[in-house]
Amino acid sequence: MKEKDLILLRDPDAARRDVTRRILSDYATVETVDSIEEARRVLARTAAHAIVARESPDAPDGVAFCRAVHQQWPDLKCVLVAAGGAQSPQIDAFNDHALFRCLLEPVAPEMLSRAVREAVRRYEMDRVQDHVAARAAEIDRAIHGVPYWLFRLRATLGCLAGMVGGSFALCLIAGVLLLLAGIGSFLILYYVKSALGIDIFPDRHLKDILSP
């Protein structure tokens, strides 16, 4: 069974934080943090998939918090629930990839859950793409780690070896079949002449023909 994804939650409103925690706990493990230092302590133990940062009128620094998170953990997806006000800081942070989603209060639980699930999915997709890119780079290094002419020479020699080996095997099989066919035909003629009394090889026997 797949373990629940880890979600960090930063919300200065204690009562609302408990509600948000219950909403996210249905499909994720939620760790609450109040600062970058607390987030650093949690992320030192285990990797998180996303972080939810909610603003309040008394703490409207959600954009700054998400920027600090992105600076230290660029792979972590940040979902900001903004309290309102000017939206240009959110737009700038989104363009700088510091925000994955920005929601404005009031936010329905279904909308918040959808945004967090999309953030987790994107995090996992990015991890897969990074792994594929790393494997591709490793393959490129293996191919181009030798001079190009040597790589082509190896490929050409491999093809020639396969062709020569296949041709030799076909010739050997054909020769064996022809030899068996000749011996079989000779034996049939010999036994036919013996049965009919026809002397195909006068004054000679099979042992004389076969002997050197």
Side-chain angles (χ1 to χ4, degrees):
M1 181 178 179
K2 182 179 180 296
E3 296 183 359
K4 288 185 176 182
D5 303 316
L6 177 61
I7 305 296
L8 301 185
L9 172 61
R10 186 257 193 183
D11 191 343
D13 189 323
R16 189 180 57 184
R17 181 172 60 235
D18 294 338
V19 174
T20 305
R21 185 188 184 97
R22 286 195 298 269
I23 294 173
L24 301 180
S25 296
D26 290 340
Y27 55 88
T29 300
V30 181
E31 286 277 354
T32 58
V33 296
D34 293 326
S35 62
I36 291 295
E37 288 72 20
E38 290 188 13
R40 185 180 295 111
R41 284 195 293 268
V42 174
L43 294 174
R45 301 193 309 266
T46 182
H49 292 68
I51 182 168
V52 178
R54 304 195 72 156
E55 292 183 338
S56 68
D58 297 332
D61 58 342
V63 173
F65 181 82
C66 290
R67 283 188 175 277
V69 168
H70 179 71
Q71 184 177 3
Q72 299 192 34
W73 304 280
D75 295 334
L76 194 61
K77 307 305 176 185
C78 188
V79 177
L80 173 66
V81 183
Q87 297 183 9
S88 57
Q90 290 94 4
I91 295 174
D92 292 340
F94 185 82
N95 293 332
D96 294 338
H97 306 288
L99 293 182
F100 177 77
R101 286 287 185 274
C102 182
L103 308 176
L104 296 178
E105 294 284 10
V107 177
E110 296 80 9
M111 184 179 298
L112 177 61
S113 296
R114 188 184 310 115
V116 174
R117 289 179 184 272
E118 291 175 356
V120 171
R121 189 180 303 113
R122 177 61 62 85
Y123 173 85
E124 293 176 343
M125 290 176 60
D126 289 348
R127 290 284 300 273
V128 172
Q129 292 176 356
D130 291 343
H131 178 73
V132 172
R135 290 291 299 157
E138 182 180 346
I139 294 173
D140 288 341
R141 286 194 299 270
I143 293 176
H144 300 295
V146 296
Y148 182 74
W149 65 268
L150 181 57
F151 171 74
R152 296 302 304 170
L153 179 62
R154 288 178 180 177
T156 303
L157 292 178
C159 293
L160 289 176
M163 294 172 59
V164 171
S167 300
F168 178 77
L170 289 176
C171 292
L172 182 61
I173 294 174
V176 172
L177 291 177
L178 288 175
L179 179 62
L180 292 177
I183 294 175
S185 299
F186 179 80
L187 292 176
I188 292 174
L189 289 175
Y190 181 80
Y191 286 112
V192 167
K193 74 96 180 179
S194 299
L196 298 179
I198 300 175
D199 195 0
I200 298 179
F201 306 102
D203 300 328
R204 298 189 71 182
H205 297 283
L206 178 62
K207 65 183 181 63
D208 298 327
I209 296 174
L210 296 178
S211 61

